Amino acid sequence: MRFGVIGTNWITEEFIRSGREVDGFSLEAVYSRTEERAREFAARQGIPYWFTDLEDMVKSKRIDAVYIASPNSFHASQALVCMEHGMHVLCEKPLASNAAEVLQMIQAARWHEVLLMEAVKSTLAPNFRAIQGNLHKLGPIRRYVASNGQYSSRYDAYKAGQMPNAFNPAFSNGALMDIGIYCVYPLVVLLGKPQRIQAEAVMLDSGVDGQGSILMRYPDCEAAVMYSKITTSFLPAEIQGEDATMVIDKINRPQKVEIRYRDGRVEDLTVPQTSHLMQYEIREFMELIQNGKRESATNSHQNSLMAMQIMDEARRQIGLRFPADAHADWGKQEEETGT
C-alpha cells in the first residue's frame, strides 16, 4: 500500500519508523507547505516524491492512502481534499477542530467510499484489547478514572514569551485536544457517550487550556479524567467494578493491565506488544482497506464523533473557542446527531 504523508514533524517520523516495520507498507510521497522543508524531509527519510501542492499529490496516482499529521486546524480541510480524490485517510488525533468538522469528514468518507480512521494508537494496542475482553470480570462498572499529564517540551519556550503551535488556539490546540483525548477516547470506546459532563480548566494567557478535568455521568457509573501539558502525572488509570478493579499503568499507552479482586487475588492481563504502538493502527488501517472495509470497529466514526462532542462541550464550559468554531453551528450539529 502506497502512502503519502502530510506534515513533517516528530510524529510523522514515528509513523514512518513504525510503518516500515509493517509488511506491505510503502512510503511514496510527502507534502509540506514549503519546498525547502519538503525537499529536506524527503531526502532524509528516503521518500521518492515531494509536493508543495496537496491536490498535486493526491492526483499524482503515486499513492493509495494519506497519513495526516499537520496542525489540528488543518485536519478537516486536508482530509476532505484527499477523500474527494479517492484517497483513504488515516488522520492524527484529534480528528478535527470540532464535531461539525468531524461530521463533514464522515459524510465525505461515506460519499466517496473511502476509509477514514482517527489515529488513536492506544485503543488499537493489544493491551487495550485485553482491557475490552475482560471488563465483564469486574461486575457492574461504577467508575472510570484516567489521568494523562505530560509537561510539554514547548512549555518553557511559551513561558519565555514565544508562541509555539502547541499553545496557539489558532491551530485548535491545548491540553484537552492534545492530551485529554487520550483519556476521553478509551472511555467512549468502553462505555459510550455520557449523559452529562462538567468541565474545569486552568487557562493560559494565549487562550488555550494548560490543564483540565472532566467529570462525566452515565446511568449507573461516573467517569473522571484529568489531563495537563503544564504538569506531569504518574497516576495509573482504574476501571472500578463491584467485584474487582482493573488497573492500567498508562491510559495513553497501556503496557501493564491487571485485575485486583475483592478477595485479594490479582490477575495479570498484560500481553506482549511492541513499544512502537503506531504499528497496530497502521496494520488495522491497511487490513481494513485490503478487506474492503470503510470503517474501524474500534476507532469508528461514531466513537470519533462522540469523543469530539464531549470535547466540544468541555470547551464550551471552560470558554475555549477556536477560529475554526466560527464556521461550526454547534446547536445545529447537536440537533442533527440527536445529542
Side-chain angles (χ1 to χ4, degrees):
M1 189 168 298
R2 303 170 302 168
F3 279 83
V5 294
I6 298 174
T8 54
N9 52 32
W10 69 269
I11 195 69
T12 310
E13 294 177 347
E14 176 61 24
F15 172 81
I16 293 169
R17 278 193 296 271
S18 298
R20 284 174 171 160
E21 296 179 10
V22 176
D23 289 343
F25 176 93
S26 174
L27 182 60
E28 295 296 320
V30 58
Y31 162 81
S32 179
R33 287 171 291 174
T34 66
E35 180 177 337
E36 180 182 4
R37 181 60 175 161
R39 280 180 177 274
E40 183 275 330
F41 193 84
R44 179 157 49 86
Q45 295 293 336
I47 304 172
Y49 304 99
W50 56 266
F51 296 86
T52 57
D53 184 295
L54 182 56
E55 290 212 12
D56 285 347
M57 183 172 80
V58 296
K59 289 178 179 177
S60 68
K61 310 269 188 208
R62 300 189 185 281
I63 59 174
D64 307 302
V66 176
Y67 168 71
I68 298 177
S70 53
N72 301 337
S73 57
F74 296 115
H75 286 183
S77 60
Q78 291 174 338
L80 290 172
V81 168
C82 294
M83 290 188 288
E84 285 167 3
H85 289 88
M87 297 290 105
H88 303 290
V89 173
L90 177 63
C91 184
E92 259 308 325
K93 57 81 196 164
L95 193 59
S97 296
N98 51 54
E101 289 186 347
V102 171
L103 272 173
Q104 279 186 294
M105 295 165 73
I106 292 171
Q107 290 163 358
R110 291 173 177 169
W111 178 259
H112 296 289
E113 298 183 341
V114 295
L115 173 62
L116 170 68
M117 191 179 91
E118 189 166 6
V120 182
K121 57 181 178 287
S122 56
T123 49
L124 298 170
N127 278 309
F128 189 80
R129 306 290 195 196
I131 294 168
Q132 289 178 294
N134 289 275
L135 277 183
H136 64 280
K137 297 178 180 178
L138 307 182
I141 295 172
R142 298 304 188 192
R143 179 175 289 127
Y144 168 103
V145 184
S147 177
N148 187 20
Q150 301 174 24
Y151 186 95
S152 172
S153 60
R154 300 170 183 84
Y155 188 44
D156 288 338
Y158 172 79
K159 290 192 290 184
Q162 300 176 34
M163 182 56 76
N165 288 355
F167 295 98
N168 190 340
F171 295 111
S172 303
N173 275 328
L176 175 60
M177 300 291 275
D178 188 29
I179 298 293
I181 189 171
Y182 279 120
C183 299
V184 172
Y185 207 97
L187 170 65
V188 165
V189 173
L190 296 173
L191 299 180
K193 190 178 178 183
Q195 294 175 319
R196 60 180 183 269
I197 78 170
Q198 180 178 342
E200 298 288 348
V202 173
M203 304 300 290
L204 303 179
D205 290 341
S206 69
V208 304
D209 54 332
Q211 68 177 38
S213 60
I214 309 175
L215 295 176
M216 286 164 275
R217 185 75 173 115
Y218 289 83
D220 299 309
C221 71
E222 59 186 4
V225 304
M226 299 161 285
Y227 48 89
S228 178
K229 288 176 70 71
I230 59 177
T231 62
T232 299
S233 173
F234 298 95
L235 293 174
E238 288 189 346
I239 304 172
Q240 301 170 5
E242 292 187 2
D243 298 333
T245 294
M246 188 178 290
V247 182
I248 305 144
D249 63 340
K250 298 176 182 177
I251 195 64
N252 61 314
R253 49 184 310 113
Q255 297 169 312
K256 183 172 179 58
V257 183
E258 62 182 22
I259 295 178
R260 300 180 184 179
Y261 294 91
R262 285 191 293 111
D263 62 7
R265 289 180 296 124
V266 177
E267 181 181 5
D268 190 354
L269 304 176
T270 308
V271 295
Q273 66 182 31
T274 177
S275 59
H276 297 149
L277 291 189
M278 294 184 84
Q279 285 186 34
Y280 301 110
E281 72 183 29
I282 295 169
R283 283 198 184 98
E284 168 96 351
F285 184 77
M286 291 175 61
E287 288 173 3
L288 287 169
I289 294 171
Q290 289 159 357
N291 292 326
K293 302 290 182 64
R294 295 297 177 256
E295 186 175 354
S296 167
T298 303
N299 291 10
S300 66
H301 294 167
Q302 185 65 18
N303 286 339
S304 291
L305 180 59
M306 287 191 293
M308 187 59 73
Q309 287 170 334
I310 290 170
M311 295 194 293
D312 275 1
E313 175 60 18
R315 288 199 296 114
R316 187 192 68 79
Q317 291 186 22
I318 65 176
L320 173 55
R321 287 185 67 86
F322 301 134
D325 297 331
H327 304 293
D329 186 338
W330 288 0
K332 184 173 184 291
Q333 170 260 313
E334 290 176 356
E335 180 181 341
E336 289 177 346
T337 56
T339 58

